[in-house]
């Protein structure tokens, strides 16, 4: 199976830098608690944080839903010990697919009474969504390919690729 480049490294870097500036402005340079969704969002989160002008705290939620390219029951574990009450929160995920994971994370964060919740995803897949929630910040809109790299995996592999790639012969889940 041949891996094709969908978004090259340089393009990701440029876009992530621009997104950071957009986010800093949207929060008026106020402090933010970043809740990153493990494991896929980790590369994106770290790069995004580097350019934020805000004072940031970092914490994690773990959501697992895929086995290979098949979506299984979604499981969530809140790993955060930072109190979110009254704070600005930015939830960061790798990809907005059906939207269920981000919605799940959003609802969990909301229970903790933050002042403001915004959401950011690196990729938004062009498929029908199962939720009404729309991410506030999106890096790239992509076709309905199963993508890997820059944190995204298939059975835990390919996360370390510096670019976003896809398998040409496989387009649908
Ligand atoms: P959703 O809940 O359907 O929006 O799926 C979002 C989650 O599924 C993401 O956080 C990813 O972990 C995973 N996912 C969805 N599409 C892909 C893909 O193309 N490659 C790798 N992981 C994916
Ligand atoms: Mg994920």
């Amino acid at each position: 199976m041949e891996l094709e480049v969908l978004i090259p490294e340089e393009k990701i870097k440029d876009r992530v830098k621009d997104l950071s500036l957009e986010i800093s402005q949207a929060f008026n340079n106020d402090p933010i608690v970043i809740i990153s969704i493990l494991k896929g969002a980790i590369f994106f989160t770290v790069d995004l944080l580097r350019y934020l002008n805000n004072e940031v705290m970092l914490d994690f939620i773990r959501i697992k839903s895929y086995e290979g390219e098949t979506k299984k029951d979604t499981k969530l574990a809140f790993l955060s010990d930072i109190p979110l009450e009254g704070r600005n929160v930015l939830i960061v995920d790798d990809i907005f697919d059906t939207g269920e994971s981000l919605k799940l994370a959003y609802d969990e964060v909301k229970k903790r009474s933050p002042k403001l919740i915004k959401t950011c995803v690196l990729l938004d897949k062009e498929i029908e969504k199962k939720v009404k929630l729309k991410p506030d910040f999106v890096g790239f809109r992509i076709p309905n390919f199963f993508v890997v790299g820059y944190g995204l995996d298939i059975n835990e592999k390919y996360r370390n690729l510096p670019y976003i790639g896809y398998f040409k012969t496989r387009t649908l889940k």
Side-chain angles (χ1 to χ4, degrees):
M1 234 184 336
E2 228 179 299
L3 190 58
E4 302 274 327
V5 177
L6 184 65
I7 310 174
E9 190 177 354
E10 279 310 310
K11 236 177 133 179
I12 299 174
K13 273 193 188 153
D14 290 348
R15 184 69 188 116
V16 170
K17 217 168 171 175
D18 288 348
L19 266 181
S20 298
L21 296 175
E22 245 181 78
I23 291 166
S24 294
Q25 282 174 7
F27 282 96
N28 295 313
N29 293 317
D30 288 341
I32 319 176
V33 182
I34 311 276
I35 303 282
S36 173
I37 302 181
L38 295 173
K39 303 177 191 168
I42 200 152
F43 286 60
F44 175 42
T45 304
V46 169
D47 287 346
L48 196 68
L49 290 198
R50 266 189 251 277
Y51 298 106
L52 284 179
N53 296 318
N54 316 56
E55 179 188 303
V56 297
M57 291 184 188
L58 176 62
D59 234 322
F60 301 95
I61 285 179
R62 168 101 205 256
I63 298 182
K64 197 171 163 50
S65 53
Y66 271 84
E67 262 169 45
E69 294 181 37
T70 315
K71 200 151 186 238
K72 292 278 160 88
D73 283 347
T74 308
K75 288 184 199 118
L76 180 143
F78 212 95
L79 309 174
S80 176
D81 52 11
I82 298 174
L84 302 182
E85 195 177 338
R87 293 205 154 114
N88 293 316
V89 175
L90 178 71
I91 304 172
V92 178
D93 204 3
D94 49 4
I95 188 164
F96 193 60
D97 188 15
T98 66
E100 287 174 324
S101 302
L102 195 66
K103 176 74 169 74
L104 202 68
Y106 186 94
D107 290 346
E108 278 300 312
V109 168
K110 203 164 177 207
K111 283 183 200 163
R112 289 158 171 84
S113 313
K115 179 168 134 198
L116 180 68
I117 313 172
K118 287 191 184 285
T119 55
C120 174
V121 294
L122 178 69
L123 307 172
D124 183 1
K125 231 189 246 191
E126 283 169 356
I127 65 156
E128 201 182 314
K129 305 301 173 189
K130 290 190 182 161
V131 298
K132 284 196 189 127
L133 178 79
K134 285 193 171 55
D136 297 295
F137 308 98
V138 173
F140 302 93
R141 292 186 208 283
I142 61 161
N144 187 15
F145 295 156
F146 196 88
V147 288
V148 293
Y150 197 65
L152 291 140
D153 72 307
I154 178 165
N155 287 332
E156 301 297 331
K157 283 185 282 186
Y158 304 108
R159 287 195 202 276
N160 57 320
L161 296 175
Y163 58 89
I164 305 281
Y166 69 103
F167 293 100
K168 217 174 179 182
T169 50
R170 296 187 187 188
T171 51
L172 294 171
K173 287 195 289 243

